[in-house]
Amino acid sequence: MFEGFTPETVDFLWGIRLNNERGWFLEHKDQYDRALYGPMKALSQQVFAAFQDVPNMDYKLSRIYRDARLHPPTPYKESLWLSMRPADLPWSEQPTLYFEIRPEAYSYGFVLWRPKTAALTRFRAMLAGRPAEFPALVQKLEQETGLTFRGESFKRRLRCPDPQVEPYYSLRGMLLDTDRAPDDLLFSPALADTVIETLRKLYPLYEYCLKFTV
């Protein structure tokens, strides 16, 4: 059962950011297991259990170890995250529900980072075909969750056929999430329920994006 993170969790994350080398980590591995990975694993188990009935969903809990072939100067990550996304596709190409903790903040919500060109073409076709649907969905979720939709657009904006979808037509990625400095919620068991409730509310956006990414 998740009991909350602790100030020691934040201390460890700052420590690995400032001392990202093997000797320091080995000296503090017990702290990593106790203050960071243990609570993160407990949180992931509660969150994942709430979505077990979703078909074709892949559940991922990260570890702190980097792939030395890809990141030789920095052997350890400076954050941990859990994610839920469609199975058998790279995470960056598909809708993802997530929680992440970093030294300075924690985040949870929805992200679609880098879908393929063909997927974005299908997204724009959906916007053009039913222009009221996606803006209404975004507005509804912002009101229900208190989160703010944001996205990254192509540098050269595309010609949009309908003014009501113009804010979304040139997107190459999108997020609907929160970014919070360490606070009482982070250190409380109530964090698990808050994350689950928010991700459940965001599930309709996940479903919408499945229509053009998978």
Side-chain angles (χ1 to χ4, degrees):
M1 182 68 69
F2 177 72
E3 299 294 337
F5 294 100
T6 66
E8 188 180 10
T9 309
V10 180
D11 290 344
F12 175 84
L13 286 165
W14 279 114
I16 199 66
R17 173 170 289 181
L18 299 173
N19 306 274
N20 200 320
E21 51 89 19
R22 187 170 183 272
W24 187 92
F25 178 77
L26 292 178
E27 290 179 5
H28 295 82
K29 189 174 184 304
D30 287 345
Q31 185 183 20
Y32 162 70
D33 291 332
R34 179 182 68 255
L36 179 57
Y37 187 72
M40 190 70 177
K41 184 176 181 181
L43 176 63
S44 71
Q45 289 172 340
Q46 279 188 244
V47 174
F48 294 164
F51 289 84
Q52 283 297 310
D53 293 336
V54 178
N56 197 42
M57 180 171 271
D58 195 22
Y59 303 90
K60 172 74 173 180
L61 171 60
S62 71
R63 296 294 298 265
I64 202 167
Y65 308 99
R66 288 193 186 276
D67 187 332
R69 298 167 298 177
L70 301 177
H71 305 277
T74 54
Y76 305 104
K77 301 168 187 171
E78 299 173 2
S79 67
L80 287 188
W81 63 88
L82 62 88
S83 64
M84 300 181 294
R85 56 187 188 264
D88 303 324
L89 290 173
W91 78 268
S92 61
E93 298 175 10
Q94 57 196 319
T96 299
L97 301 171
Y98 83 96
F99 172 91
E100 180 183 28
I101 184 168
R102 315 186 305 279
E104 67 277 13
Y106 65 102
S107 305
Y108 53 91
F110 169 90
V111 60
L112 177 58
W113 185 243
R114 284 289 185 275
K116 288 188 173 182
T117 300
L120 291 173
T121 299
R122 292 191 292 269
F123 173 56
R124 292 192 293 270
M126 290 170 62
L127 291 176
R130 302 181 66 176
E133 183 177 9
F134 190 73
L137 175 60
V138 170
Q139 182 180 15
K140 177 177 181 289
L141 295 180
E142 287 184 326
Q143 292 174 345
E144 289 181 351
T145 64
L147 309 182
T148 301
F149 181 90
R150 54 196 172 97
E152 182 184 2
S153 298
F154 292 106
K155 291 182 179 179
R156 184 176 181 179
R157 298 185 71 85
L158 305 174
R159 182 177 297 178
C160 179
D162 191 316
Q164 65 181 318
V165 296
E166 197 280 333
Y168 314 106
Y169 201 75
S170 296
L171 290 180
R172 59 183 301 187
M174 62 184 78
L175 300 97
L176 187 53
D177 61 1
T178 184
D179 200 51
R180 303 171 59 142
D183 56 11
D184 290 343
L185 180 62
L186 182 67
F187 305 137
S188 167
L191 176 65
D193 292 334
T194 299
V195 171
I196 290 169
E197 180 183 6
T198 302
L199 299 188
R200 279 177 170 162
K201 289 178 178 178
L202 294 176
Y203 185 71
L205 180 58
Y206 177 92
E207 284 189 305
Y208 181 98
C209 292
L210 285 180
K211 296 176 184 177
F212 64 85
T213 55
V214 176

